[in-house]
Amino acid sequence: MSGGSLIALKEDAIDGNAGSNGNVNQPTHQQQHQQQQQNGASSGSAASAPAEGTRQNSLQRIQQRKQKVFNLPISQKLAKLSMYSACQAEGCRCTGWKTPQENRHRDVESSYCPEFNEECRNANCRHALQSHIAHLDGISGVEMNNLLGAIIDMENLFMSMQRVDDEDTKKVYLYLFRLLRQCVITRQQAVIRGPLGDPPFESPCIAKAVYSFVFYKYHHLSPNELQTMTEVAKTFLNFLNHYNFEPPSLRKADLKNEDASTYKINYTRWLVFCHVPAFCNSLRHFETSLVFGRTLLRTVFQYMAQQLKKKCISERDRFPADKRSIITQMPKFLEALKGELLKDDSPIWDQTYRPPSAFLMQQRKRQQDTATNASGTVNNTNGKRVNIGEPIHKRPKKDIDRSSGDSNYEDLPDETVIRAMKAVCESKAINKTEILFPVNVSRDENVKAEEQQRAIEFHVVGNSLTKPVDKETILWLLGLQSVFAHQLPEMPREYISQLVFDTKHKTLALIKENMPIGGICFRPFPSQGFTEIVFCAVTMSEQVKGYGTHLMNHLKDYSIQKGVLHLLTYADCDAIGYFKKQGFSKDIKLARPVYAGFIKEYDGATLMHCELHPSIVNTQFISVIRRQSEILKELIAQRHNEVQKVRPGLTCFKEGLPSIPVESIPGLRDIGWKPQTRAPRTSRPLEESTDPEKLAASFAAVLQAVRHHASAWPFLKPVTAAEVPDYYDHIKYPMDLKTMGDRLKKGYYVTRRLFMADMAHIFSNCRFYNSPETEYYRCANNLERYFQTKMRELGLWDK
């Protein structure tokens, strides 16, 4: 969900920060002590919800525990995994290594590291620990951390299951616990299948309906007022995404049998796909507002609205002065949304209903402007941190705005794209001059050409204390030390030498004529999932040739190959521009506990971060973009030639034909025109309602409101010939509000078209007879706008 909301309360949180000795069914004294430290145990009821700070602290503790486990030595990690791994000995059915009797109170996450020859305490096993981890040989660090993260999630689920009282909730926790247990044994990703179905469960989703409601109800407001209502809608959706629904056992009293059954299904879906994955990274997480629709919102709206109003009142003083309007408008917004939620014929719940493209583009532009000008706090509200051990599907993506429903895009036919690619290739083959002397060629292309001709080479070199280092590597390291010392004069030479020759640091060297002319010294932290860039420099005589960019691209590809997707560096004022061009940003998307205490901090320098995409080959990225740009230009040129084609004019009108269909105009379809299809009026059932009394009541409400408007005084009764002698010489179809009231009482208005036509006569007659500078003319304009507003509020206006 797009950000900007100021209330981020989750009414409850399930957490568990307990250690484990491998026997999940019998928590140790240490586990129980850690659980007593947790604030806000889950009870399944919003009434006992902890504060937001407690929830954030709980989630942070879970993440800190995971980081602690990820940083353990390999032997302790394997011991932790062995407790949930089946014994590999032939015929043995033991599903997890049990700590020996004398060490059963010790924890492998702290100081205990069992020997690989220690026997399992299970009487039916008695095999060594080595038998339980034999299948883990050769496992990568990322996969190992994923398994450890799933184990911690599983332990947290077990401890949460002990704290809840609701049986339905316990069953869901037990199901997810067993699912993760099986996934750890089989080393597979957790996938939820079964009768619950797959998200989304209803269309349109709540988020899309709420944004449609904002347009439907408030699009006539000024831009500032409309932006305020959009912020109110975001706040409501954010509250819904963090709201803790009551278990079905507490809702039986106020729900019918059918509604109670439906709510039980939706509650289970919410637990499995939304609530538990919020703290359990091993399961795929979905936002409540994007996977549920009207059915769930109807069930929980009343109580949730009360909680939101209370929250707004209690947090009013925490809001900035310029955001207080959100608090003021929230009660009105909730009441209006409640009306549309209860109406069976509300258009916002129609799948075919969507705001105009102009409104969506305007809203998207405002969101971009807000994100550009927003503070770091607001940005952090939306950001999802990527952590080691977190599955790929949990990592943030730039998704299409599903809430807006703006998916009205079409791909070009494959034949068109292939034709453009062929034309680009033929153009290059014909124009030999451009091949020899390319126009606006990228410096990166020249560097790649030198690399292909082996004029330059890139090597990752480093010192070692465990194996011999060849003479060439030592000479390159000495050369790199000299390059860094000359290009970074403010850095002490002893410090440069210490890091370049440190065994934990590596250097990506740019070699030309067997001499290093540049390089990037870095230290990888694979357990933390990031690499720290320490030095980056190119010899002065070789600068401005694109070597720096190509060096960084090689380092990015090297990091991706090693499974590290984050680069961090402290850049001084002179280097910030370079790192920005390489994709680095001051917006750090890694959680501070991941890198704090690992990366070296420098006074007067700025921490910058770059997140790598595993599917991008960075050394080829510029050429791919350049190729795409050429194809796009060719497609535009082909389209331009088609549009510029001159077609013969129409002669049918000279022959006496009064009109022709628009689609018959030559060339109209060729430039992309499509006939506008009028949406079916299923979303406007009041137009030809089968309930005349309901329709008449709506008309009476509108007419009563129009009569009491300050600009209605000229139209309250018919114009008399005595007051305006020539009025009826000009006006052939007079109309006024009194006549409309009489017609309404007689049942004349059986459709809204008749009602709207008579009202339109009032305004058109006034403007026809009176000049624009008169008071009557201004009253007609004001009253017409008010009439349209009232009709929209009742869903009777579709213009």
Side-chain angles (χ1 to χ4, degrees):
M1 187 189 72
S2 58
S5 53
L6 296 175
I7 298 179
L9 172 68
K10 186 159 187 177
E11 292 288 335
D12 192 17
I14 308 171
D15 55 35
N17 197 13
S20 174
N21 71 340
N23 192 345
V24 179
N25 295 319
Q26 296 180 358
T28 64
H29 175 73
Q30 178 185 359
Q31 289 176 320
Q32 296 171 357
H33 174 71
Q34 289 177 341
Q35 286 306 125
Q36 292 172 0
Q37 303 299 321
Q38 304 293 330
N39 296 322
S42 172
S43 64
S45 173
S48 60
E52 174 66 7
T54 302
R55 171 184 174 269
Q56 294 296 339
N57 292 339
S58 300
L59 295 177
Q60 187 176 8
R61 282 195 297 271
I62 293 174
Q63 186 56 40
Q64 288 175 350
R65 182 190 170 201
K66 287 187 177 182
Q67 291 300 330
K68 177 185 175 183
V69 173
F70 298 158
N71 295 333
L72 291 175
I74 296 296
S75 57
Q76 285 181 258
K77 286 186 177 181
L78 291 173
K80 183 73 174 178
L81 289 172
S82 69
M83 298 175 180
Y84 299 90
S85 300
C87 182
Q88 303 300 305
E90 185 176 355
C92 186
R93 296 185 178 181
C94 181
T95 59
W97 186 78
K98 304 297 185 298
T99 312
Q101 187 73 18
E102 61 273 16
N103 295 318
R104 67 183 186 279
H105 294 300
R106 302 176 67 183
D107 185 12
V108 296
E109 293 183 24
S110 54
S111 58
Y112 175 52
C113 183
E115 298 294 335
F116 288 162
N117 57 2
E118 286 189 34
E119 293 183 355
C120 178
R121 183 162 52 93
N122 189 340
N124 296 323
C125 179
R126 294 299 182 184
H127 294 107
L129 183 147
Q130 180 66 42
S131 299
H132 289 78
I133 60 174
H135 64 294
L136 298 176
D137 289 341
I139 186 174
S140 65
V142 174
E143 187 178 359
M144 181 179 293
N145 287 342
N146 285 340
L147 291 174
L148 290 170
I151 289 174
I152 296 173
D153 290 336
M154 184 173 61
E155 293 175 350
N156 290 337
L157 267 174
F158 179 83
M159 301 306 296
S160 299
M161 185 169 55
Q162 305 304 312
R163 293 197 303 268
V164 298
D165 299 324
D166 181 68
E167 293 299 323
D168 294 326
T169 307
K170 278 190 175 183
K171 290 178 181 178
V172 175
Y173 288 173
L174 180 60
Y175 164 76
L176 295 176
F177 170 84
R178 290 174 174 172
L179 175 67
L180 289 179
R181 183 76 175 86
Q182 186 63 26
C183 290
V184 170
I185 293 176
T186 59
R187 294 170 55 185
Q188 295 179 351
Q189 181 63 48
V191 179
I192 299 173
R193 298 186 178 92
L196 291 178
D198 298 322
F201 306 109
E202 193 172 354
S203 182
C205 65
I206 297 174
K208 181 180 183 300
V210 168
Y211 283 115
S212 298
F213 166 77
V214 171
F215 168 78
Y216 174 69
K217 199 76 173 179
Y218 304 108
H219 76 279
H220 62 282
L221 299 178
S222 65
N224 290 337
E225 292 174 328
L226 183 59
Q227 180 63 19
T228 298
M229 299 312 298
T230 304
E231 293 296 328
V232 173
K234 292 178 182 178
T235 302
F236 169 78
L237 291 174
N238 191 65
F239 186 85
L240 173 67
N241 288 330
H242 292 82
Y243 186 75
N244 186 33
F245 300 120
E246 294 179 304
S249 59
L250 300 181
R251 296 298 307 274
K252 288 183 178 179
D254 57 346
L255 292 176
K256 299 178 182 178
N257 291 335
E258 183 177 354
D259 293 339
S261 176
T262 303
Y263 179 75
K264 185 174 182 179
I265 295 174
N266 283 330
Y267 176 81
T268 305
R269 289 170 170 171
W270 171 75
L271 281 177
V272 171
F273 294 99
C274 303
H275 187 55
V276 173
F279 73 93
C280 182
N281 290 341
S282 304
L283 299 172
R284 187 177 181 184
H285 177 256
F286 295 89
E287 296 286 2
T288 306
S289 62
L290 295 177
V291 297
F292 291 98
R294 185 178 192 176
T295 304
L296 178 65
L297 188 60
R298 264 186 171 180
T299 310
V300 302
F301 184 86
Q302 182 176 356
Y303 187 76
M304 189 187 72
Q306 294 175 359
Q307 296 294 316
L308 180 54
K309 290 177 183 177
K310 292 179 182 178
K311 189 66 181 175
C312 288
I313 294 174
S314 63
E315 294 194 358
R316 179 179 180 85
D317 295 334
R318 294 176 55 188
F319 272 62
D322 57 338
K323 297 292 184 180
R324 295 283 173 84
S325 56
I326 295 178
I327 297 293
T328 306
Q329 296 295 334
M330 182 61 73
K332 301 178 183 178
F333 177 90
L334 293 174
E335 287 299 320
L337 181 59
K338 179 181 178 181
E340 298 299 323
L341 185 63
L342 298 178
K343 281 172 36 177
D344 294 330
D345 50 5
S346 175
I348 69 172
W349 301 101
D350 185 0
Q351 297 186 29
T352 61
Y353 180 85
R354 61 186 301 272
S357 299
F359 173 80
L360 296 174
M361 293 292 292
Q362 190 177 24
Q363 290 297 99
R364 195 171 293 117
K365 184 178 184 300
R366 286 174 181 162
Q367 292 177 6
Q368 293 173 354
D369 294 341
T370 302
T372 302
N373 300 325
S375 65
T377 304
V378 175
N379 288 337
N380 289 341
T381 304
N382 304 329
K384 294 184 179 178
R385 305 305 186 220
V386 179
N387 301 308
I388 285 299
E390 187 170 351
I392 296 296
H393 66 258
K394 290 288 290 181
R395 297 177 184 174
K397 302 176 182 178
K398 290 187 176 179
D399 292 333
I400 297 174
D401 187 3
R402 291 173 286 182
S403 60
S404 65
D406 191 7
S407 58
N408 196 20
Y409 299 100
E410 294 183 4
D411 290 333
L412 291 172
D414 293 341
E415 296 79 8
T416 304
V417 178
I418 293 174
R419 188 168 63 250
M421 295 173 63
K422 185 177 180 181
V424 171
C425 295
E426 291 176 351
S427 175
K428 286 187 176 182
I430 295 173
N431 193 348
K432 301 294 184 180
T433 304
E434 185 175 347
I435 296 177
L436 296 176
F437 306 100
V439 180
N440 298 326
V441 67
S442 171
R443 290 181 298 173
D444 185 77
E445 295 295 330
N446 294 329
V447 178
K448 287 198 295 183
E450 290 186 50
E451 186 179 7
Q452 291 175 357
Q453 298 166 7
R454 304 194 64 84
I456 58 174
E457 296 178 354
F458 295 87
H459 298 276
V460 177
V461 295
N463 198 7
S464 176
L465 297 178
T466 59
K467 57 183 179 180
V469 181
D470 59 88
K471 181 179 179 180
E472 187 178 47
T473 299
I474 295 296
L475 292 176
W476 283 351
L477 289 174
L478 288 170
L480 289 166
Q481 175 196 13
S482 177
V483 171
F484 292 142
H486 281 88
Q487 298 304 126
L488 305 172
E490 297 182 1
M491 195 68 64
R493 285 178 174 266
E494 295 80 4
Y495 182 68
I496 294 176
S497 302
Q498 176 186 344
L499 297 188
V500 171
F501 287 94
D502 180 36
T503 57
K504 296 179 181 178
H505 288 71
K506 296 182 181 297
T507 304
L508 175 62
L510 170 58
I511 307 300
K512 189 173 185 178
E513 298 178 355
N514 206 34
M515 288 292 295
I517 61 172
I520 300 177
C521 181
F522 61 94
R523 179 179 177 180
F525 292 92
S527 63
Q528 301 302 110
F530 75 90
T531 293
E532 175 195 8
I533 297 176
V534 185
F535 306 129
C536 178
V538 176
T539 303
M540 180 68 70
S541 60
E542 300 291 346
Q543 291 181 4
V544 201
K545 294 183 179 180
Y547 290 145
T549 298
H550 206 55
L551 262 172
M552 187 61 69
N553 287 336
H554 269 286
L555 178 61
K556 292 177 180 178
D557 289 345
Y558 174 81
S559 299
I560 291 173
Q561 291 173 5
K562 299 297 182 181
V564 178
L565 301 180
H566 298 274
L567 302 178
L568 288 174
T569 187
Y570 271 95
D572 58 25
C573 297
D574 297 331
I576 289 178
Y578 165 77
F579 282 107
K580 281 186 176 180
K581 292 179 181 178
Q582 308 309 318
F584 285 74
S585 170
K586 298 178 183 179
D587 180 21
I588 311 302
K589 296 181 180 180
L590 275 176
R592 181 171 177 78
V594 175
Y595 61 86
F598 293 91
I599 185 172
K600 293 176 288 294
E601 299 185 4
Y602 298 89
D603 294 335
T606 303
L607 181 62
M608 302 188 74
H609 169 254
C610 179
E611 183 177 3
L612 306 178
H613 195 288
S615 301
I616 293 179
V617 180
N618 291 273
T619 51
Q620 303 295 330
F621 184 71
I622 296 177
S623 59
V624 171
I625 295 299
R626 185 178 180 87
R627 176 73 168 170
Q628 291 177 345
S629 177
E630 292 173 350
I631 295 173
L632 183 59
K633 289 178 181 178
E634 179 62 27
L635 288 170
I636 294 174
Q638 292 180 4
R639 190 66 169 172
H640 182 73
N641 293 334
E642 294 176 2
V643 173
Q644 292 297 320
K645 183 179 180 180
V646 179
R647 292 174 173 81
L650 297 172
T651 60
C652 54
F653 298 110
K654 294 182 180 180
E655 300 171 358
L657 193 64
S659 63
I660 61 172
V662 177
E663 57 268 20
S664 64
I665 299 176
L668 195 60
R669 292 183 181 272
D670 296 340
I671 62 173
W673 178 87
K674 294 182 179 180
Q676 295 182 354
T677 56
R678 186 178 182 86
R681 293 178 180 172
T682 55
S683 61
R684 305 287 185 183
L686 284 178
E687 179 181 355
E688 308 292 345
S689 176
T690 56
D691 187 357
E693 294 182 358
K694 185 176 180 180
L695 192 62
S698 301
F699 292 156
V702 174
L703 194 58
Q704 184 72 6
V706 170
R707 283 173 178 166
H708 288 84
H709 194 270
S711 299
W713 60 270
F715 317 109
L716 293 176
K717 59 182 180 179
V719 178
T720 62
E723 295 173 347
V724 188
D726 64 338
Y727 184 78
Y728 292 98
D729 295 337
H730 300 280
I731 303 301
K732 302 302 181 184
Y733 302 101
M735 185 53 60
D736 60 275
L737 297 177
K738 182 179 183 301
T739 304
M740 288 187 66
D742 296 338
R743 288 188 170 189
L744 181 61
K745 292 178 181 178
K746 296 177 181 178
Y748 172 77
Y749 298 120
V750 294
T751 68
R752 67 187 178 97
R753 292 294 179 187
L754 291 174
F755 183 75
M756 294 167 59
D758 277 357
M759 190 67 73
H761 274 130
I762 295 178
F763 307 131
S764 61
N765 289 343
C766 178
R767 285 191 284 259
F768 180 78
Y769 186 81
N770 301 282
S771 57
E773 64 273 7
T774 61
E775 181 68 21
Y776 299 104
Y777 199 101
R778 286 191 290 272
C779 285
N781 291 339
N782 293 336
L783 192 62
E784 184 176 31
R785 285 194 294 269
Y786 180 72
F787 166 71
Q788 293 175 3
T789 300
K790 299 302 293 183
M791 293 289 283
R792 287 191 184 96
E793 290 179 356
L794 295 177
L796 297 172
W797 190 269
D798 60 354
K799 292 184 178 181

